Amino acid sequence: MERIKPRTLSGFMELLPAPQTQFERMLEILRHTYSLYGFTPLDTPVIESAEILLAKGGGETEKQIYRFTKGDSDLALRFDLTVPLAKYVALHYGELAFPFRRYQIGKVYRGERAQRGRFREFYQCDIDVIGDGKLDIANEAEIPAIIYQAFTALGLERFRIRVNNRKILTGFYAMQGLAEQSGDIMRTVDKLDKIGPDKVRALLLEQGVSDQAAGEILDFIAITGDNAAVLSALEGYRGRNETFDQGLEELATVVKYLAAFGVPEDHFAVDLTIARGLDYYTGTVYETVMLDHPEIGSICSGGRYDNLAEYYTDKKLPGVGISIGLTRLFYVLGEQGYLNDDLVTAPADVLILPMTEDLSPAIAFATQLRQGGVRAQVYSEQKKFKGKMSYADKLHIPYVAFLGEEEISQGVVKIKDMATGDQQALPPAQAVETIAAAMAARAAGKPIREKG
């Protein structure tokens, strides 16, 4: 028989047990965080009708989508979680309560060139709040609070949520008589960090922007300082454009609410260079960066949009949401040394080593442990004692329990703390309580933290 060489496709992440447990812990923390804010979990099919996924169509999506036929059906793998959400809300509109608050963690597929930190199959984690006709500005202020809570719960500290409002940008360019060119101008301005102001000015002049207007644009995006200073500078433009004024009101409201939502000012900054999704976002926009690693780019982004499901229903469904590319974030955290190896979750809290031919007492003790909320594994393989202990050590299992003829006759279990080497013989019920208390104390630690 000719054997096939095992391999994993390029652009598809496959983890060994230790990092997989870290990844699962990350998902657990995010799910818990979102539930604190009243979001409901949602799952949608990985495969949808190509017609549904490509309703908006065009551009990079057409090139990157995985599309195939099965019988007469034209099918595709989802490339994000927003389009499936739009379909879901349009389909179940009559059965949902609005505002509809959902989070979804799932795999998406994009046939783009695989490279470091960029994958073809990857997990996205989205949260969105969808309104029926209207959606209050308070929802736009809550989103940064959720980002802050989630990243802090993951053990990250040095990150900043950068916020802008698309209406401010739209209104500003309208003031300059550049409404028609605003999309191209914003794309040019977006290169400021990479190429500097002089080259941005040169590109603007090439696009037909007057020297005076180019100067105004560069002055505008150079407005920096703390949030109060930026808002104060923006007040100088008030009264010249209605859209601008509306955006300024919204941005000031978001900033005002953030303190009440518990977001420290050093984790949040008004940044007028952020544009995002020119043909999609209509109000507040967000990007989150890691301060020590700006080269990574945004690790969490999103914003306010006016009409989620316009391709599927005539109902006006405004919303606000963010997306985290979890696979990329996890990869980057690993690359930068932020994943804490000492806190990898073991597959069990206790490894039970039966020292008798009859496994019944060991199995009964494992059942007792599980009923007490302790994860237990019975090691029934016929190996030498050293090999059994090596197994526990390799998997970082915190406790080993021994059950031999002597322990069984005395009605006790001998338990060993693998970290300290301490051993004690206890009645089974007391052994369960002891291990459960120790594991609860350990659970207070975090599996993912940033270097201090």
Side-chain angles (χ1 to χ4, degrees), residues 142-155:
E142 187 181 42
I143 294 290
I146 300 168
I147 300 172
Y148 173 74
Q149 178 86 18
F151 283 4
T152 302
L154 288 172

Side-chain angles (χ1 to χ4, degrees), residues 8-250:
T8 301
L9 290 171
S10 172
F12 290 71
M13 187 167 80
E14 195 170 64
L15 298 171
L16 286 167
Q20 184 67 48
T21 58
Q22 289 176 316
F23 189 78
E24 295 297 328
R25 180 71 177 129
M26 186 165 83
L27 300 188
E28 195 181 300
I29 289 169
L30 290 171
R31 288 189 184 103
H32 175 69
T33 301
Y34 299 146
S35 68
L36 289 176
Y37 287 84
F39 284 81
T40 188
L42 176 65
D43 193 18
T44 58
V46 170
I47 300 173
E48 299 267 15
S49 162
E51 178 188 40
I52 293 288
L53 293 184
L54 293 169
K56 188 176 178 182
E60 287 300 303
T61 303
E62 290 268 17
K63 295 177 195 170
Q64 293 179 0
I65 199 166
Y66 283 96
R67 191 173 183 177
F68 56 97
T69 55
K70 180 72 173 169
D72 295 333
S73 302
D74 182 8
L75 306 171
L77 298 179
R78 65 186 180 200
F79 57 87
D80 71 2
L81 299 177
T82 304
V83 174
L85 171 66
K87 178 220 73 174
Y88 181 91
V89 175
L91 183 63
H92 299 289
Y93 174 82
E95 302 148 88
L96 298 175
F98 290 91
F100 176 56
R101 298 163 69 88
R102 83 85 172 87
Y103 74 85
Q104 182 169 0
I105 300 173
K107 286 181 173 179
V108 299
Y109 298 83
R110 293 181 191 172
E112 56 187 351
R113 188 167 69 86
Q115 50 188 303
R116 284 182 62 181
R118 292 275 181 188
F119 295 87
R120 291 169 173 165
E121 176 192 65
F122 55 97
Y123 277 92
Q124 267 192 337
C125 174
D126 286 17
I127 57 171
D128 287 86
V129 185
I130 311 299
D132 186 5
K134 290 183 179 178
L135 189 67
D136 191 78
I137 185 70
N139 293 286
E140 291 169 55
E142 187 181 42
I143 294 290
I146 300 168
I147 300 172
Y148 173 74
Q149 178 86 18
F151 283 4
T152 302
L154 288 172
L156 300 176
E157 294 169 1
R158 291 191 39 78
F159 63 90
R160 183 166 293 143
I161 305 155
R162 298 157 62 196
V163 181
N164 195 9
N165 192 297
R166 288 298 313 282
K167 290 172 186 166
I168 287 176
L169 298 180
T170 302
F172 172 76
Y173 289 114
M175 286 179 207
Q176 309 302 321
L178 297 168
E180 296 294 317
Q181 297 165 258
S182 62
D184 291 335
I185 293 170
M186 283 188 232
R187 288 185 193 94
T188 301
V189 165
D190 197 41
K191 298 172 184 172
L192 182 70
D193 287 345
K194 292 175 187 168
I195 65 175
D198 292 343
K199 287 185 180 173
V200 167
R201 177 188 281 271
L203 286 172
L204 289 173
L205 295 177
E206 281 177 29
Q207 290 169 6
V209 175
S210 71
D211 193 56
Q212 183 182 345
E216 288 257 12
I217 291 166
L218 287 166
D219 287 347
F220 180 76
I221 60 174
I223 295 173
T224 53
D226 62 25
N227 297 329
V230 174
L231 290 173
S232 175
L234 291 174
E235 285 292 337
Y237 293 87
R238 188 187 284 277
R240 293 162 59 186
N241 179 277
E242 190 179 341
T243 302
F244 180 95
D245 292 355
Q246 189 181 349
L248 182 51
E249 288 293 335
E250 291 177 0

